[in-house]
Each structure stands twice: as C-alpha cells, then as structure tokens.
Amino acid sequence: MGRLFLFYRLMIRPLLKEPVRAALTIFAVTLGVAVVLAMDLAGNAATGSFRASMETLAGDNDLEIVASGGVPEAIVGSLATLPYYIRISPRMEDSAVLADSNQTLPLIGLDLVAEANADGGGRALVTSSDKTFETNEDTIRQLQKADSIWVGASLGKKLGDRVRLLINDQVREFTVRGVYPDSNGSESAVVMDLATAQRALNRFGSVDRILLNVPEPPALDEWEQRVRAILPTGVEVRAQGTGTIENRRMLAAFRWNLQLLSYIALIVGAFLIYNTISVSVVRRRPETGIVRALGASRNAVLVAFLGEAAFFGVTGALFGLPMGRLMASGAVKLMAATVESLYVSSRPGAIALSAWSVALAFVIGVGVAVVSAYSPAREASLVSPVEAMARGRREYNTRVHKSRDLLLALVLAIAAAGASRAPAMQGKPVFGYLAAILLVAASALAVPAFTDAILSQSSRWLGKVLGVEALLGSQSLSASLRRTSVLVGALSTAIAMMVSVGIMVGSFRETVLIWMNDRLPADLYLRPAGAPAPDRHPTVSLELADKISKLPGVAGIDRLRAYEISLDGMPATLASVDLSAFRRDNQSSFLSGRPTAQVLAEIRDSKAVLVSEPFTYKHHVRAGDSITFSLGAARPSFRIADIYYDYGSERGTILMDRQTMLRYLPDPTPSNLAIYLMPGTSLEAARNEILQASSGYRVLLASNRDLRAEAIRIFDRTFAITYALEAVAVIVAVMGVAGALLALVIDRRREIGLLRFLGASAGQVHKQILVEAGLLGLLANFAGLALGFALSLVLIFVINKQSFGWTIRFHWPVAVLLGAISVVYAATVLSGLYPAQVAVGLNPLEAVHEG
Amino acid sequence: MAIVSFEKVSKDYLTDGQRVHALDDITLEIERGEFVALMGRSGCGKSTLLNLAGAMDFPTSGNVVLDGVTTSALKDAGLTCLRREKVGFIFQSFQLLHTLTVFENVELPLLLAGKPKARDAARERLDWVELDGLGDRYPHQLSGGQMQRVGIARALVQSPAILLADEPTGNLDTITGNVILGLLKRLTRELNTATIMATHSAEAGALADAVVRLRDGKIGEIGRR
C-alpha cells in the first residue's frame, strides 16, 4: 500500500499539475482504443456474426440440399421415399421489396401445410426457438389463397393488411394472414406458401433449397452419405448453414484489412506515449537520482515509469470503451452497406460489448502504452544517482544514434522489399502486412537523421527569411532531436497512412473508371427495381425483354443472367451474356490483351468460359485450366478461355454464353438487359419509349453515364470507413504534436523567459512556437509523403492483390493528396496555438531565476 | 536627472496565500555613469529591486521612473520597447543560449529588435570585452569567465542606459570574478551607463561608486564615494 501511495505521489500527482498535457495524452490513447474496439465490434456484427438473409427462419435443421439454378422438385418425393423419419423442408428463397418503403426483405416460400402437419397437425410449427407459427384450421384455409403472406412483427403490419410487394419486375398485392414474432427486428421476412412463392417468382418445377432435420444416431456424415446416394448429379447435400460459413470466409479478408487499418491510430498513439514517457524521464532525472540514492532499485524505477504509462493506458481504455461502442454504431452501418454492395445481402448482427471486448480494450490500451514506454523507462532505470543529481547539468540531451539508426532503417527497408515479394499465406497477405510494418519501423529509425539534416542545413536560412524567431525555433527543435524525431515520426506515420490509402483508393478509382469504359458498352441498362446486391438476381419478364427488343431505335439487347453458385467452398457468381445478339464491344479488358471479338468467339456456344480476376485468385486457376461445378442436373467441366478484369464484385464470376447456360439451366428470363440503340437515336427519346413499354413493370432504366455515376458513388461509400480511420489517426497525431509542443514550452521556460529579458515581445515568442509547429508539420509531411508512397506500392501491388485479386493501375491523385496534406499541415500549425499562448503567459522572472 | 529613480516604492508578493513584503518604501536615485552595488543577505530584496529597475516587474506602490518614463504607465508592448532601448541584463548563471554561437548570442537582442548591422555591433562589443576571435565558438566551448564576458557583451549590444547585473561573479572563481568586476567598472565609466549590481562580494562593494545596503526590504544605508 505504501508503494502505491508513493507511486501516486511521485508519478501520478505531478501529472495533475499539467492537466492539459495529461488530457491530450489520455485522449490519444482513448481514440486509439476506441477505433480498434469499434472496428472489432462492427466487424463482428457486420461480417462475423451476420447471418445471410436467407437463413431467416431456417430453424434447427441439419442438412441442406442445393443445386445451381434450383433443386428439382422431384427430389422432395425421392427423399420422402427414404425409409427414415426425417423432416423435409423445401424452400423458395429470394427477395421482395416493400413497394411503399423500398425496404428489401427476404422472401421465403415454405410448404406450410407440411410444416404444420409434421407433428400430427394442429400443433405449433416451431421454426426456431423464438419463432412460432400458431396453426389452426383457419390458417390452413388461408394458406390456399394465392395472396396470403406472413410477416415479421417488426414490420408493424396486422392481420388483414394489404401489402404491395415488388418481386422481380412486378408489383403484386398480398394480404397479411399472420404476424410472427421476429427477434430484435432484424430478421423480418415475407413468408408465403411454397406454391404461392413459385407463382410469384415465376419459377416452377424446382425449389431453391431443401432443408433436412435428421435424427441421431447415426452421425451427420452418415446421413450425408445416405442422402447423397439418391441425389442426381449436380445436386449437392451439405451441412445446413454452409452458405453462411462460406460467406463469412469470403468476408474475412475485408474484415481483416479494416481491422488492421484500425491499428494505425494505435501505432500513432504508441509514438506519443513513448514521447510522453521520454519527457517524463528527462524531467525527473534529479528526482530519479534522489530516489535511487535513498535506496530504490533499478527495477523500482523501471516499474514506476511503466506504471505511469499503464496509468495512461488504463485511463485511455476506460474512456475508449464507451467511445468505441458509440463509434461501432456508425461503423457497422458503413461496413454493412459495403458488405451488401460488394459481397452478400445480409443484416448485420447486434453489436455485442462482451467481456472479451472489454478485455481487448484494456489489453490494447495498457499493452501499447507499456510496450511504447519500455525503452525510455529502461533508460531511466539505468540513471546513476550521481549523474542525475549533478548540479549545473540543467539540460540532458539524450544521445541519438543517427548513423546507427539510419543503417538499421536501410536493413529494414530491404527486408520490407523482400517480404513484399512473398506469396500470400492461406489467402492472407501476411508478408504484405509485415512489409508495411517494416517500412514504418524503417521510417521511424530514419527520421532522426532526416530531421537533423534538414534542420541543421536550413536553420540559418530560415532565420534570414522568416526572422530570428524561425532561427531560434528550428535550433530549439534541433537541440531536442530525440523528442522532435518522435513527434515527426508519429505525425509522419499518420500522414503516410493517409497518403498511401489515398493513392491506393485514387488508383483504384481511376482503374475502375477506365474499366467501366470497356465494361459498359451499351447505351442503356435495365434491371428490376429494388436495391441491388451481388447475390441477388431478380429477373426481368421475358415479355418485357421481347417488347423492348422490338422497339424502333433499339438495335439489339443483351440478355444477361446470373446465378449464385458454390465452388470449392466459396460463393461465386455464374453469369451469361448473349453472344448471338447485337453487341458493341470496346477495347479488350482481358488479361491476355487479346481483342474482345476474338475472346468472345472462343466461348460462343461452347464449353469454354471466362472467369474474373478475383475468381482466379480465390480458386488458384489460370487461363487454359479446367473447372468443374454442378450446373442443373449435371456436373460439367469448362475450359477457362481467358480472364477479365472485374471490379464490380469480389465474389468471383464465371461468364459463359447464354446458349451454353440454357443447355443446363433452361430458364430464359434475364436478370438485366443491356440495350444498344441505333446510331442517331436520341437517348432521351429511347428512354421514354422504353419506360412506356415497361409500364406495368417495376424496372430501373439507367443510361451508361448514370450507371457509371452510381458505381462510383458506391465505390466512394465503400471507402468511407477507411477515410474515417485515417482521419482518426491524423487527429491523434496532431493532438500529440500539441501535447508535445506544450511539454517543450514548459521545459524551455528558462530560455523563453530569457528571451523576454533580452527584448523579445509576446508576439515574437508566439511566432517562435508557431514556427516550431510549422517546421514539425513540414518535416512530417515530407517524411510522410515518402513513406506513404512506399506503403501505397505495398497496398496496391501486394496487400490488395493478395486479398482480393484485383489488379490496380498506379495513379497519383494529386489534387486530393495536396488538399489532404494542406489540411493536416494547417491543423499542425494550429495545434501550436495553445502552447504558444502558454509560452507567452510564462512569467520570465520565475523562469529565469528558477533552480 | 537620474537615469533611474525609485519613488517610495514598495513591492509585495503573494506566495501560496502568504503576503511577502519584498521591498518597503524605497526611495533611491541613480545617475548615469554610476556603478552601484546592492548588498544584503539573501531575501533582502536585491533581485526584486533589479527587476523593478529593468521594467520586468511593477511596484505594488510608488513609481519607478526609467530615463524619464514611469514604468507602471506602460503596457506590455511599451515595456518591451523600453527594455530593448534602455536596459541590459547580466545574470549569475550567464544565461546563454547553448544552440547559438557567441556572435549569435551577442547579436540576439538586436535581431529581436529588428535592427540592422547586428553582426558588426556584436563584433564591436566582443572587442570591448576582449573576446574578439571567439565569435564562432559555442558556449560549452568557453570558460566561465569567457561566458560572462559574452553575457556582458550581449547586455551592452543595444548601448543601454542602465546595466543590471544579478550576482555576475557568483559562479566564478575570485580571480576571474575580479576581472569581470574590473571590466564592468571600466565599461560603466567609458560608456556612461549606470550599472546596478546585486552582489555578496566585498570586492564588488569596494569597487562601487555607491553601496546600497538593503535589510528586510528597506534601505539600511547608502554609502557614496
């Protein structure tokens, strides 16, 4: 207890005498912890614990039977003939849009009569522990009506309400026959009888999935074998929920990248803790000597300074917890929107602040603080009593091993280059991340030499140009090189992340813009209304497609169709284009560089396919390889004719000719139409004609330009969370600069007081501090730009490539970078305002006559 | 006319809630060319009196008039100008900036005042204190005596009306200290400045034209030659 008391008196109470500086340091840790926690919580909710929308009401079944394009209905009969007692639940699974609110909901068709009668009739149909359909005779009668639906309670509907639903491209009216209790409002769905769903979706003869509930024993493996034995080729049986697991795996890289980005703020915070403890060590040298002379061990000194760091860590974590929880609410919305846009339609799970999350916050806060403080704390423990108490040694300049550190920086940079050439490990760019960390470390080690070189060469020149205040300011920074270097290191790391991500996103954006030129050759694009998602493919009515193709002014239409399939345990998209229809193809967008016409001719009505670049990365295939997958009632093999760039989705796509697909999946309805106009046809006139022809259908018609604009809007939104993370890192760094400048002012009060004696005005003192802030900002900007460029290469050519498989063309977003750097520079200069005020407010008499 | 005069000056400080009477009803006039020693025990008010004379602080009551200007009538900007023009400070612990060379330390007041030809003036002052040739060295490369000479040169660079020296020989050995005192005395006479020096040194007292003994914030006696 005595030691704790001593710790408080010697280490904590002095912090209270500088509340602003202490608060800035704590806030830096708070932000770092909050961001990491927020990304962890949001990641869990948006990707880790999400359930694909179609898992709504899936209940506690054991197995599922799936097939590309749908499972033939006859399978249900085959299963029923098995000499076992198993519960068979065929399902239609799609989506419907509430016409009034545009809210997209899962549409689930169930054999409600069979479900109700499964236990002998008249008993509650339990679909999961908290969802119950109460069945009675009246309900069964309602089942037979073609417009009957059941909805989750969170939709706020009641029995008898009429609901207009957009299904594919048509709006139909339904009557609510029942409301079921959905938990926490996130799993509401539209449920209808299987037959009703098949009619609404215009898909007859097949179901989307068959769920099986089997008794134990035997084990599940044995059941899979029994069921597989009666299934035709192309139809698969697997554990229920496999789709969810596949999606989670697919989302892992996305989540992993965001999680790592969130650690940047923490790394910047680590610099600042290092600086804070270093300052503390220097200031307390005389006290350290006294305490050692009075009997404290080296270990006690080490623990004392580590304890000071832990204090910052614990306090930062305490504040970081609620802040992180709050930030997670915003983050999950952004992440969920990205998941929905690029991966799979889903509802995020609830944000759960568990004991693990709380532990994570403290481990991060305290861990980073203690690790950062170790070096200066160890230095303090090595101070001998005599040295620390020497009179007249007012200033102690920590030795900075510039040359040694520069050499080490070079070694690390070379190691980084080597690491960046290593392949991914289990689909994760582990060596890419290592390369990034090595680059950051190399930069931190090179900063002292860089800072010293710039300051020593420029201080007198600065004095001539900006006045004696600039000379004094630059020399002051040079004299405390270690502190200056740490500050420049912290700020430059934050700037580097901003620059590197800015370059990566800018390059990506530019690549996507160029890609869209090739990929969107048609004049107009038509699809069913409703929010799009990579795994949702509502269809356009055949009659409408035919009607549009016959309009004057329409040269031709390309009927595109897509299905969701599973390949090698990963979800993928199977799509077809109509190569026999009129087309107008742009430049080649194939990895081989071959002309488009040549490549398409190769896959026309043949067993050759094209695959997207992300597909090749996920499935480790290349042009010329063969891929085999279930398609309808078959399991054909296809040769990969070429690979195309695809930035629309990260899922991976197989593209074939429509004629080839129809052979296996005979449903001719398209998912969307690419419409080519006759030369000279007015776009507006054609648009109006098409919309007129589409009256009675709910479709969206977009011009080529509108589609690109929408694609870019989704792209920008995808990176919103990345920008937010960068902004936090920069804020932490700028606050750190403010806190450190304040410390510098306080430690230089004698010098500042002396200047006042020598005739310096308040304005001149003010100017000197602002010049120091400006110099720090300038040094950090230069260092940050250099490091940022290097990191951007790793991000673009290693991490992004290995995570998602995308090829990105390097591009300098000059305007964006200049703007961002200017804002950071201005913020850094402004961060000097308060320390400058403090400097002006110092009493020179006290300052000069101290000690 | 006196270059600096104290008219019934008192100065109180508040330290941790306690009122301390640093100076009590001081009346004193110092003429140009006078070399005055302020003597007394520690805490008798020597440094306080120097600070008031140098317009670094204000009296609680009474007036301090520096070259005809009452210091309490000025705001910060005016005081800064007055200090630049009229006052040179010399400190016990030299108070040089270790990141600047000797030349740069000496010319600093001129640079702060935005005056031209600062280097020439610095060179001349270093000549006065017999330190020509050491202008490019840094303070840590000088002896204590040399550092104090640099401090004196810096104090003289603006040709001030008064020089205020707070224990200028306190950190020096006897021989070096005597050399410094001799230098100060000579420059006071040659430049016709007034030098007020707070000191414990009997040698300094012996060299002074007037010795003002302070006791508990009051003037005990003034001995003039």
Side-chain angles (χ1 to χ4, degrees):
Chain A
M1 197 61 198
R3 285 195 182 180
L4 265 177
F5 194 50
L6 206 57
F7 172 73
Y8 169 75
R9 269 190 183 172
L10 292 176
M11 305 304 291
I12 305 301
R13 198 166 65 184
L15 292 175
L16 303 177
K17 290 200 178 128
E18 292 184 67
V20 173
R21 205 170 75 80
L24 283 171
T25 307
I26 290 170
F27 193 54
V29 177
T30 299
L31 265 184
V33 168
V35 159
V36 171
L37 184 67
M39 294 315 296
D40 186 62
L41 292 175
N44 271 334
T47 69
S49 64
F50 96 107
R51 296 177 76 227
S53 302
M54 293 311 159
E55 292 302 320
T56 304
L57 301 175
D60 56 354
N61 292 286
D62 305 297
L63 297 171
E64 62 184 23
I65 296 173
V66 294
S68 306
V71 180
E73 254 180 328
I75 304 285
V76 178
S78 304
L79 288 167
T81 63
L82 286 174
Y84 314 109
Y85 180 69
I86 53 176
R87 196 173 73 214
I88 305 164
S89 307
R91 291 160 67 94
M92 295 298 290
E93 294 171 337
D94 210 291
S95 55
V97 180
L98 287 173
D100 302 331
S101 63
N102 273 336
Q103 184 185 354
T104 304
L105 298 167
L107 166 63
I108 302 181
L110 299 173
D111 187 347
L112 291 174
V113 174
E115 302 274 352
N117 289 332
D119 293 316
R123 291 181 38 198
L125 172 69
V126 178
T127 56
S128 74
S129 59
D130 58 350
K131 295 174 185 60
T132 306
F133 284 101
E134 289 288 343
T135 62
N136 51 35
E137 286 177 5
D138 185 50
T139 302
I140 293 172
R141 258 203 303 280
Q142 303 299 355
L143 279 174
Q144 291 167 346
K145 293 188 181 169
D147 67 342
S148 299
I149 60 172
W150 281 254
V151 297
S154 62
L155 285 182
K157 303 292 179 193
K158 48 188 196 310
L159 290 181
D161 279 353
R162 299 288 285 169
V163 175
R164 292 168 67 244
L165 295 175
L166 169 64
I167 298 172
N168 289 329
D169 60 355
Q170 299 196 49
V171 174
R172 297 168 216 261
E173 210 163 61
F174 295 86
T175 306
V176 177
R177 304 292 179 195
V179 174
Y180 68 88
D182 50 1
S183 59
N184 68 43
S186 67
E187 291 176 330
S188 190
V190 172
V191 182
M192 47 179 74
D193 183 60
L194 197 66
T196 308
Q198 285 175 323
R199 268 196 301 275
L201 291 165
N202 203 29
R203 296 209 296 264
F204 301 96
S206 67
V207 294
D208 292 315
R209 222 175 10 151
I210 302 174
L211 300 180
L212 304 178
N213 183 288
V214 296
E216 268 190 74
L220 216 52
D221 288 346
E222 169 72 23
W223 277 113
E224 271 189 54
Q225 282 180 28
R226 289 179 184 180
V227 170
R228 195 171 287 122
I230 65 152
L231 294 178
T233 313
V235 182
E236 293 172 11
V237 60
R238 59 191 192 184
Q240 196 237 322
T242 301
T244 298
I245 294 168
E246 287 177 353
N247 279 317
R248 278 191 196 153
R249 208 181 296 137
M250 177 182 61
L251 289 167
F254 166 69
R255 191 188 165 184
W256 175 249
N257 280 329
L258 274 182
Q259 190 79 49
L260 284 173
L261 269 178
S262 74
Y263 285 121
I264 300 161
L266 217 51
I267 291 172
V268 173
F271 273 103
L272 301 177
I273 294 283
Y274 175 90
N275 190 52
T276 300
I277 302 300
S278 296
V279 165
S280 180
V281 163
V282 167
R283 282 184 182 175
R284 293 197 176 130
R285 282 185 74 84
E287 286 167 37
T288 307
I290 292 168
V291 161
R292 290 274 284 124
L294 293 176
S297 66
R298 289 191 197 279
N299 215 45
V301 171
L302 176 70
V303 167
F305 284 104
L306 290 180
E308 184 184 10
F311 168 76
F312 285 120
V314 166
T315 318
L318 277 172
F319 286 113
L321 265 170
M323 187 184 278
R325 174 61 185 84
L326 207 63
M327 286 164 82
S329 304
V332 78
K333 285 190 185 115
L334 285 173
M335 283 174 77
T338 301
V339 168
E340 182 98 1
S341 297
L342 294 184
Y343 294 94
V344 61
S345 46
S346 65
R347 297 297 164 108
I351 297 171
L353 190 62
S354 60
W356 159 251
S357 306
V358 173
L360 176 73
F362 279 97
V363 163
I364 288 170
V366 177
V368 167
V370 168
V371 165
S372 319
Y374 182 76
S375 176
R378 187 166 173 275
E379 198 183 300
S381 72
L382 297 175
V383 165
S384 75
V386 167
E387 189 191 344
M389 288 165 63
R391 294 196 61 173
R393 293 275 306 267
R394 287 179 187 277
E395 273 150 36
Y396 172 78
N397 285 319
T398 314
R399 282 188 61 203
V400 179
H401 302 278
K402 295 192 295 289
S403 304
R404 180 200 72 180
D405 289 351
L406 194 58
L407 194 59
L408 209 51
L410 192 60
V411 168
L412 290 180
I414 293 170
S420 65
R421 300 190 83 81
M425 275 176 60
Q426 292 182 339
K428 287 200 173 73
V430 174
F431 288 104
Y433 293 130
L434 178 63
I437 291 168
L438 288 171
L439 280 173
V440 171
S443 169
L445 286 168
V447 156
F450 163 73
T451 303
D452 187 50
I454 300 287
L455 286 176
S456 60
Q457 293 305 311
S458 64
S459 59
R460 280 170 177 81
W461 173 84
L462 276 170
K464 283 194 174 80
V465 170
L466 293 175
V468 66
E469 302 89 348
L471 168 72
L472 292 171
S474 71
Q475 294 207 329
S476 163
L477 290 180
S478 191
S480 41
L481 185 59
R482 179 155 135 173
R483 275 200 209 180
T484 305
S485 303
V486 172
L487 280 182
V488 171
L491 191 52
S492 68
T493 300
I495 291 172
M497 293 318 299
M498 184 183 72
V499 165
S500 63
V501 172
I503 293 175
M504 190 270 292
V505 172
S507 299
F508 203 168
R509 203 172 194 275
E510 195 64 19
T511 305
V512 167
L513 283 170
I514 295 170
W515 167 75
M516 282 199 292
N517 262 342
D518 304 330
R519 189 62 194 279
L520 300 174
D523 300 297
L524 292 160
Y525 292 86
L526 182 140
R527 66 169 176 84
D535 64 332
R536 265 203 304 263
H537 307 289
T539 52
V540 176
S541 304
L542 264 180
E543 316 81 62
L544 177 59
D546 289 340
K547 217 192 253 187
I548 292 172
S549 70
K550 292 185 173 92
L551 287 174
V554 173
I557 62 170
D558 190 346
R559 292 170 173 80
L560 307 149
R561 181 65 198 256
Y563 290 93
E564 287 315 292
I565 65 169
S566 174
L567 188 63
D568 303 332
M570 279 180 279
T573 302
L574 173 68
S576 70
V577 288
D578 192 352
L579 294 177
S580 58
F582 176 92
R583 304 184 61 78
R584 191 167 53 228
D585 293 311
N586 288 345
Q587 292 174 353
S588 168
S589 56
F590 300 103
L591 259 70
S592 66
R594 292 192 287 160
T596 304
Q598 185 187 350
V599 174
L600 294 183
E602 203 176 320
I603 69 166
R604 184 172 290 127
D605 199 10
S606 76
K607 288 195 81 177
V609 294
L610 303 173
V611 297
S612 68
E613 195 185 19
F615 183 94
T616 64
Y617 237 74
K618 285 182 166 40
H619 299 277
H620 310 292
V621 294
R622 32 175 206 224
D625 286 352
S626 196
I627 48 173
T628 305
F629 52 93
S630 300
L631 203 53
R635 204 173 155 74
S637 293
F638 296 91
R639 182 179 59 83
I640 298 174
D642 213 318
I643 301 162
Y644 65 96
Y645 297 107
D646 183 7
Y647 302 99
S649 153
E650 195 251 323
R651 290 169 71 88
T653 305
I654 303 168
L655 190 67
M656 58 175 55
D657 184 22
R658 180 173 157 85
Q659 298 308 315
T660 308
M661 182 181 273
L662 286 173
R663 243 181 254 126
Y664 300 97
L665 301 172
D667 180 3
T669 47
S671 306
N672 52 72
L673 307 176
I675 302 167
Y676 297 86
L677 300 179
M678 299 281 203
T681 305
S682 149
L683 188 70
E684 266 322 295
R687 185 201 283 270
N688 290 334
E689 270 192 26
I690 293 167
L691 285 174
Q692 217 170 352
S694 312
S695 66
Y697 300 92
R698 287 284 284 269
V699 294
L700 287 177
L701 184 66
S703 69
N704 191 299
R705 198 169 67 171
D706 292 341
L707 208 59
R708 286 168 202 240
E710 175 66 11
I712 286 298
R713 192 189 65 78
I714 292 173
F715 178 93
D716 289 339
R717 188 187 65 193
T718 303
F719 286 101
I721 201 164
T722 312
Y723 296 142
L725 289 173
E726 283 169 35
V728 169
V730 167
I731 288 168
V732 169
V734 169
M735 274 170 28
V737 166
L741 276 174
L742 197 55
L744 269 173
V745 160
I746 292 165
D747 289 345
R748 284 162 42 208
R749 53 190 178 281
R750 181 194 67 85
E751 180 194 313
I752 292 170
L754 175 65
L755 287 174
R756 297 286 268 142
F757 267 93
L758 296 179
S761 67
Q764 285 176 310
V765 169
H766 204 263
K767 182 177 169 185
Q768 181 185 336
I769 305 302
L770 286 183
V771 163
E772 288 176 30
L775 278 173
L776 283 171
L778 213 55
L779 287 166
N781 268 330
F782 281 127
L785 267 170
L787 176 61
F789 169 67
L791 284 174
S792 71
L793 298 177
V794 173
L795 271 179
I796 291 172
F797 298 113
V798 182
I799 291 174
N800 224 314
K801 184 74 180 170
Q802 291 181 2
S803 297
F804 306 112
W806 285 316
T807 295
I808 297 175
R809 298 171 211 215
F810 191 89
H811 168 77
W812 282 102
V814 174
V816 168
L817 283 181
L818 273 177
I821 284 172
S822 304
V823 168
V824 171
Y825 182 74
T828 309
V829 172
L830 288 175
S831 75
L833 280 177
Y834 179 68
Q837 270 309 110
V838 170
V840 164
L842 288 174
N843 185 338
L845 295 176
E846 286 175 9
V848 166
H849 294 302
E850 259 181 17
Chain B
M1 192 180 79
I3 188 67
V4 60
S5 59
F6 294 79
E7 298 163 2
K8 293 184 181 302
V9 165
S10 293
K11 177 67 185 176
D12 296 338
Y13 290 110
L14 215 57
T15 307
D16 293 332
Q18 299 274 23
R19 190 166 286 279
V20 174
H21 301 295
L23 292 175
D24 191 0
D25 199 29
I26 301 284
T27 297
L28 177 66
E29 284 185 355
I30 293 166
E31 306 289 338
R32 271 192 182 273
E34 263 200 303
F35 186 64
V36 177
L38 290 179
M39 299 188 79
R41 290 183 187 182
S42 291
C44 70
K46 302 192 296 294
S47 295
T48 306
L49 201 139
L50 281 183
N51 292 334
L52 291 176
M56 289 301 298
D57 203 353
F58 299 111
T60 308
S61 64
N63 288 315
V64 174
V65 181
L66 176 57
D67 201 11
V69 178
T70 305
T71 58
S72 355
L74 298 177
K75 294 211 171 8
D76 184 73
L79 287 171
T80 303
C81 277
L82 190 65
R83 277 199 298 279
R84 279 178 188 168
E85 304 287 322
K86 306 289 178 189
V87 185
F89 287 94
I90 303 164
F91 302 94
Q92 177 181 355
S93 52
F94 324 130
Q95 300 285 16
L96 300 180
L97 292 177
H98 295 281
T99 56
L100 301 180
T101 62
V102 166
F103 271 139
E104 287 167 346
N105 266 286
V106 175
E107 69 191 7
L108 186 55
L110 289 175
L111 293 176
L112 288 169
K115 294 215 171 131
K117 298 196 173 134
R119 185 54 59 98
D120 293 338
R123 200 168 270 122
E124 188 185 21
R125 299 311 186 266
L126 285 170
D127 217 23
W128 289 357
V129 300
E130 295 160 14
L131 276 188
D132 45 310
L134 297 182
D136 291 317
R137 291 200 187 175
Y138 284 90
H140 68 271
Q141 295 172 306
L142 304 176
S143 67
Q146 286 171 330
M147 282 200 275
Q148 193 58 293
R149 285 171 194 259
V150 174
I152 294 171
R154 182 179 63 189
L156 290 173
V157 79
Q158 293 249 56
S159 304
I162 61 169
L163 269 182
L164 301 173
D166 196 347
E167 310 265 8
T169 60
N171 281 9
L172 302 171
D173 61 85
T174 313
I175 294 173
T176 311
N178 287 340
V179 168
I180 294 297
L181 288 172
L183 181 62
L184 276 174
K185 171 87 177 179
R186 177 171 66 79
L187 288 169
T188 303
R189 194 179 55 241
E190 286 176 9
L191 302 174
N192 202 30
T193 59
T195 298
I196 310 174
M197 177 177 62
T199 183
H200 285 122
S201 159
E203 289 83 359
L207 273 179
D209 297 321
V211 175
V212 176
R213 290 194 189 277
L214 290 173
R215 196 175 292 124
D216 297 330
K218 292 184 200 299
I219 293 180
E221 59 175 341
I222 300 177
R224 282 197 147 90
R225 289 191 206 286

